[in-house]
Amino acid sequence: MSNFWTVVGFTIRNKVRTKAFLISSIIIAIILSVVVNLPYLISQFSSNTPDKVGYIGSTQQEASSSISTIGEQLETYFKKQDEPDYEFVKVNNQGSPEANEKALVDKLAAGELDAYVTFNQEDQPSGFPQMIIKSENEYNTSEASTLQTALQAIKMEFSVQGLGLDDIQKRALFAPAIVDSVKINVGEDGGSTVEEAEERPASMYGVVYIILFLLFMSIMTTGQLIATEITAEKSSRVMEVLITSVSPLKQMFGKILGIFLVGLSQILFYVAVIAVNLSLPYNENPLNDLGIHMSDIPVSLYIYALLFYLIGFFLYATLYAGVGSLVSRTEELGQAVMPLMFTSLGGFYIGIFGLNAPDSMLIKVASFIPFFTPYIMFLRVGMVDPPTWQVVLSLIILVITTGAAGWLSAKIYRTGVLMYGKRPTLKELRKAMKAYKF
C-alpha cells in the first residue's frame, strides 16, 4: 500500500512543480478576476452622467397646445427616473426655425449639449410629430429606442387626453395585465392539489452553469493529463522500470488519485478567486440588480454538485487511463482519446442548451445515460425538482458504470502498458487480457 501512496505523492509533485501548471493557473485566475469585475471595469471607463439633449421651448402662445410642449414633457419624463439616460435642456425660442436651429447648433459646438431634437409634424398620419435626433455622433439602436419609448409614453398620454377620461379611468387603462402561474400536483387517485409555482432564483442559473463548466473543464484537462503522463512514460520506456517496482494497478489508480487531487485543488483555487472577487463591495450592487443572491442557493445543490463531480470524474479518468495505456506515442494520443472528448463535450452541450428546457424529454432521457448523468441530472436537480427515485436511480447506474469502467480499464492498463508499436486491435487486446486474471 505504501507504493500506492508513493505514486500518488510523486504524481502530485510532478504536476504542481511544473512551470506550465503554475503559469496556466495564474493566467486563468487573472482571466476569471477580469471577467467577474468586467461590469465594474466598464463602468470606470464610461460616463454615468446622462446625455444633455436640447430642445426649443414653446412660446406663451404655443403653451396651450400639447403637441408644442413635447420637449417639456420629455424633460419631466426623464426627471422622474432615478438614473436617467438623458437630461433634456430647454433652449429659448428665437422666433424662427432658422434661428432656433442655429442656437441649438451653437450650444452643441460649445459642448453644452450632446445632442438636440427637433419635431416635424408634416405628413404624419397620426397627427403626432416625428422626433429627429441630431448630434455629432450617430445614436445607436438601443439609445434611440430609449427615446422612442419615452416619446411613445407621451404620445399615449396625448391620445388619452383627447378621449376626456378622468384619473380613475386613466389608471385603469394604464394598469398592467397580471398573469400568475399555478402548479398542479395530480395524485395517483386522480385527485389534485394546487400550490403556487415557485420561480427559480437567477442565482440557480448562474451556479448550475458555472458548475457544469467546471465539471467539463476538469474532466477534459485532468483526463488529458492522465492519458498524456501514461503515454509519455510508455514512449520513453520508463514504464518498463516502474513495472518492476510498482504493480500496474497501483500505478494506474495512484496516478488517477494524484491527478484528481491536483485538479480538485486547482478548481478550489479558481472558486476561491471567484468568491473573493464577488465579495468585493463594488460587485454587490450589480449582482443584486441581476437578482443574484448567493444565499438563495440551497446547500443540497452543492452536495449534489460534489457527488456528481466525484463519480463523473472517476468514470472518465479510468477510461482515459485505459486508452492512454494503449498508445505508444504522444502524437497518437489525441486521436485515441477523441471519442471520450466528444462524449464529454456532448453531455456538456446538452446540459448548457437544456438550461432553458430542463424538463424536456431529451433532458430526462439523457440524465439516465451514465456518460451524460454528471451533467444532465445535476442540471435537473438545480433547475427543476425531479422525483427522488430518478435521482437515486441515475446515481446507481452511474456508480455501476464507473465500477465497470474501472474494472475494464484496469485490465486494459496492465495489458496495454507493455504493448508497443501500433495500437492493438480489439482481437489482440482481448487475447492479451485473457492471459491475466483480475
Side-chain angles (χ1 to χ4, degrees):
M1 194 64 180
S2 60
N3 290 338
F4 172 79
W5 291 109
T6 301
V7 174
V8 173
F10 174 78
T11 303
I12 294 175
R13 290 191 299 271
N14 191 38
K15 291 300 176 186
V16 173
R17 290 178 178 177
T18 58
K19 291 184 178 179
F21 176 83
L22 296 175
I23 294 174
S24 63
S25 298
I26 293 173
I27 291 175
I28 294 176
I30 293 173
I31 293 174
L32 290 174
S33 299
V34 171
V35 170
V36 173
N37 293 286
L38 193 59
Y40 173 76
L41 295 175
I42 292 176
S43 67
Q44 297 303 299
F45 290 97
S46 61
S47 175
N48 293 326
T49 58
D51 285 0
K52 291 187 176 182
V53 180
Y55 70 93
I56 297 297
S58 58
T59 61
Q60 292 182 350
Q61 292 79 9
E62 296 173 332
S64 59
S65 172
S66 299
I67 294 179
S68 301
T69 59
I70 293 177
E72 284 87 347
Q73 294 179 52
L74 285 169
E75 182 178 356
T76 304
Y77 176 89
F78 283 104
K79 280 184 177 179
K80 291 179 180 179
Q81 298 181 355
D82 294 332
E83 295 181 359
D85 295 320
Y86 301 98
E87 178 187 348
F88 274 70
V89 179
K90 181 165 67 175
V91 177
N92 293 330
N93 196 313
Q94 303 299 311
S96 68
E98 295 78 11
N100 288 337
E101 187 84 18
K102 184 178 184 306
L104 291 169
V105 171
D106 290 343
K107 288 185 176 294
L108 185 67
E112 298 179 25
L113 298 176
D114 297 301
Y116 66 90
V117 294
T118 59
F119 300 96
N120 178 22
Q121 196 173 355
E122 297 179 2
D123 301 326
Q124 298 300 316
S126 63
F128 197 81
Q130 174 190 17
M131 185 172 71
I132 304 171
I133 310 168
K134 299 182 179 181
S135 65
E136 293 184 290
N137 300 318
E138 185 178 359
Y139 275 46
N140 58 40
T141 304
S142 61
E143 293 169 333
S145 64
T146 303
L147 291 170
Q148 184 180 15
T149 301
L151 190 64
Q152 184 66 32
I154 293 170
K155 179 184 176 183
M156 181 68 71
E157 182 68 26
F158 169 74
S159 301
V160 170
Q161 286 178 359
L163 299 176
L165 301 179
D166 57 28
D167 291 340
I168 297 178
Q169 291 172 324
K170 288 181 181 179
R171 285 195 295 269
L173 180 63
F174 289 112
I178 300 174
V179 177
D180 201 0
S181 59
V182 174
K183 182 178 179 182
I184 305 293
N185 292 328
V186 180
E188 296 179 356
D189 57 352
S192 63
T193 58
V194 180
E195 61 182 54
E196 204 167 321
E198 294 184 2
E199 184 180 358
R200 294 275 169 170
S203 312
M204 297 290 281
Y205 289 87
V207 170
V208 170
Y209 181 89
I210 290 173
I211 292 178
L212 285 176
F213 182 77
L214 289 176
L215 175 60
F216 171 70
M217 291 302 298
S218 176
I219 288 175
M220 291 286 287
T221 55
T222 56
Q224 191 74 23
L225 282 174
I226 292 171
T228 301
E229 183 164 338
I230 293 172
T231 303
E233 291 177 353
K234 185 178 176 182
S235 62
S236 63
R237 300 284 179 168
V238 174
M239 185 64 70
E240 297 178 5
V241 178
L242 295 175
I243 290 293
T244 60
S245 56
V246 183
S247 67
L249 296 184
K250 288 183 179 180
Q251 281 189 52
M252 172 182 155
F253 289 107
K255 290 182 184 299
I256 291 175
L257 182 58
I259 296 295
F260 165 73
L261 294 176
V262 172
L264 183 61
S265 63
Q266 197 171 32
I267 289 177
L268 292 176
F269 172 66
Y270 296 151
V271 170
V273 169
I274 295 174
V276 169
N277 283 280
L278 287 176
S279 64
L280 295 176
Y282 52 75
N283 281 328
E284 183 177 354
N285 289 333
L287 291 177
N288 291 335
D289 294 340
L290 294 173
I292 298 178
H293 306 281
M294 300 309 294
S295 58
D296 294 337
I297 308 300
V299 179
S300 59
L301 185 65
Y302 297 110
I303 296 175
Y304 277 117
L306 181 61
L307 189 61
F308 282 113
Y309 167 72
L310 290 174
I311 304 175
F313 170 83
F314 283 106
L315 170 62
Y316 279 95
T318 53
L319 294 175
Y320 268 102
V323 172
S325 66
L326 298 176
V327 181
S328 300
R329 298 189 305 165
T330 54
E331 294 83 358
E332 302 172 353
L333 183 60
Q335 184 179 0
V337 300
M338 192 172 294
L340 292 176
M341 293 174 61
F342 278 115
T343 302
S344 178
L345 190 63
F348 173 70
Y349 273 118
I350 293 175
I352 293 300
F353 290 120
L355 280 170
N356 295 323
D359 223 7
S360 63
M361 184 55 66
L362 173 63
I363 298 299
K364 290 180 179 178
V365 173
S367 65
F368 292 100
I369 300 176
F371 295 100
F372 298 158
T373 297
Y375 303 105
I376 312 303
M377 185 52 79
F378 172 73
L379 164 70
R380 293 184 63 195
V381 170
M383 303 309 300
V384 293
D385 294 317
T388 305
W389 69 266
Q390 292 187 9
V391 180
V392 174
L393 178 60
S394 68
L395 283 171
I396 292 174
I397 295 174
L398 181 58
V399 169
I400 292 174
T401 305
T402 302
W407 175 83
L408 179 63
S409 296
K411 294 201 71 172
I412 294 174
Y413 186 91
R414 68 183 301 173
T415 303
V417 289
L418 295 178
M419 298 180 70
Y420 290 88
K422 67 179 184 66
R423 273 184 288 164
T425 63
L426 290 176
K427 184 177 180 181
E428 293 171 343
L429 183 61
R430 187 166 56 251
K431 183 178 179 181
M433 288 170 61
K434 288 181 179 179
Y436 293 95
K437 300 297 180 181
F438 179 72

